[in-house]
Amino acid sequence: MAGHPQNIIFLTCDAFGVLPPVSKLTPGQAMYHFISGYTAKVAGTERGITEPTPNFSACFGAAFLTLHPTRYAELLEKKMYEHGAHAWLVNTGWSGGSYGVGERMSIKTTRACIDAILDGNAAMVNYVKDDAFGLDIPVSLPGVQTQLLNPRNAWADKEAYDVTAKKLAGMFCKNFEQYKGHGVVDLTQYGPRM
C-alpha cells in the first residue's frame, strides 16, 4: 500500500483571470478552498453555457457528500498536519484578463507548475502575498513566465484586474456564508480579504 501524499493539489479553472497559476496554501486556506470547491463552467465543456459561470461545489463534489463539508475539511487539516503534507491551488483557467480578453493558461505552464510541486522546487522558492485572496504566490518557478505568476502583473489594465478580483472575492464570500457557524474554527479568516 502506498503512503500518504506529500502534496495535495486542488485544480480550478478561473475564467475571471484573477487566481494565480499556482499558489501554496496554509492548512486553513486549504480547508477554505476545499470547502469552496471553486471552478468556472466554460463554453465548450458544459452544455448550454455560452459565457463563463462561477461554480462552487463543496469539496469539489458536493453531490456526493454524506457529511457536512466542514467535517471533510477538518479531516483534511488533521491529515495535513499528521503527515506533513502541503496543499496547492493550481489554476488552469485564464491569465491576463477574463475569458474573452485574456488567454487560457497553457498546458506547458500548468505542467511546469505541477512538476515544480512534485519535484519539491515550488516549496523552496520565495513567495509574495496576493492582496485580494491572501494567497502565497511564487516569485519565480522553473518553466513558468514570471509575469504570469502574479495575475495582476499579467493584466495590461491593472484597474480592471482590481475590479474583477474584488468581484470574484465577493462571490467567494457570498458562497461561504452558508458555512458560517459550522466546524470548530471560523474559516472565513482564510478566504478573500474584502
Side-chain angles (χ1 to χ4, degrees), residues 71-144:
R71 296 281 305 273
Y72 296 103
E74 289 164 358
L75 181 60
L76 171 67
E77 179 191 41
K78 177 184 174 202
K79 294 295 185 181
M80 284 180 69
Y81 281 121
E82 191 176 314
H83 300 286
H86 299 281
W88 307 86
L89 183 63
V90 173
N91 175 24
T92 64
W94 274 255
S95 179
S98 295
Y99 175 86
V101 176
E103 294 183 9
R104 184 79 191 253
M105 209 71 69
S106 73
I107 291 175
K108 181 181 176 185
T109 296
T110 300
R111 283 184 181 150
C113 292
I114 299 292
D115 287 344
I117 291 168
L118 296 178
D119 69 19
N121 282 326
M124 295 186 285
V125 299
N126 292 322
Y127 291 86
V128 294
K129 191 75 71 181
D130 165 69
D131 290 334
F133 286 83
L135 299 171
D136 285 332
I137 303 171
V139 174
S140 65
L141 208 58
V144 180

Side-chain angles (χ1 to χ4, degrees), residues 6-192:
Q6 293 303 300
N7 293 290
I8 300 161
I9 301 171
F10 301 138
L11 291 178
T12 188
C13 175
D14 175 28
F16 294 92
V18 170
L19 296 178
V22 62
S23 52
K24 186 176 182 182
L25 304 175
T26 66
Q29 288 172 322
M31 293 170 71
Y32 182 91
H33 285 279
F34 185 51
I35 290 174
S36 294
Y38 168 72
T39 195
K41 295 179 182 181
V42 293
T45 62
E46 300 276 344
R47 285 186 181 161
I49 300 293
T50 56
E51 62 182 56
T53 305
N55 186 52
F56 294 92
S57 179
C59 306
F60 297 96
F64 306 103
L65 302 181
T66 57
L67 302 174
H68 194 276
T70 55
R71 296 281 305 273
Y72 296 103
E74 289 164 358
L75 181 60
L76 171 67
E77 179 191 41
K78 177 184 174 202
K79 294 295 185 181
M80 284 180 69
Y81 281 121
E82 191 176 314
H83 300 286
H86 299 281
W88 307 86
L89 183 63
V90 173
N91 175 24
T92 64
W94 274 255
S95 179
S98 295
Y99 175 86
V101 176
E103 294 183 9
R104 184 79 191 253
M105 209 71 69
S106 73
I107 291 175
K108 181 181 176 185
T109 296
T110 300
R111 283 184 181 150
C113 292
I114 299 292
D115 287 344
I117 291 168
L118 296 178
D119 69 19
N121 282 326
M124 295 186 285
V125 299
N126 292 322
Y127 291 86
V128 294
K129 191 75 71 181
D130 165 69
D131 290 334
F133 286 83
L135 299 171
D136 285 332
I137 303 171
V139 174
S140 65
L141 208 58
V144 180
Q145 297 173 4
T146 305
Q147 76 272 13
L148 292 179
L149 290 169
N150 188 326
R152 190 173 194 275
N153 295 341
W155 284 53
D157 185 342
K158 307 296 188 225
E159 191 173 307
Y161 170 83
D162 293 339
V163 168
T164 306
K166 186 175 181 179
K167 177 181 175 183
L168 182 60
M171 291 179 199
F172 267 85
C173 292
K174 183 176 183 201
N175 171 68
F176 217 83
E177 286 175 4
Q178 64 188 306
Y179 305 113
K180 284 184 179 178
H182 294 279
V184 295
V185 66
D186 177 13
L187 295 175
T188 59
Q189 65 185 308
Y190 302 113

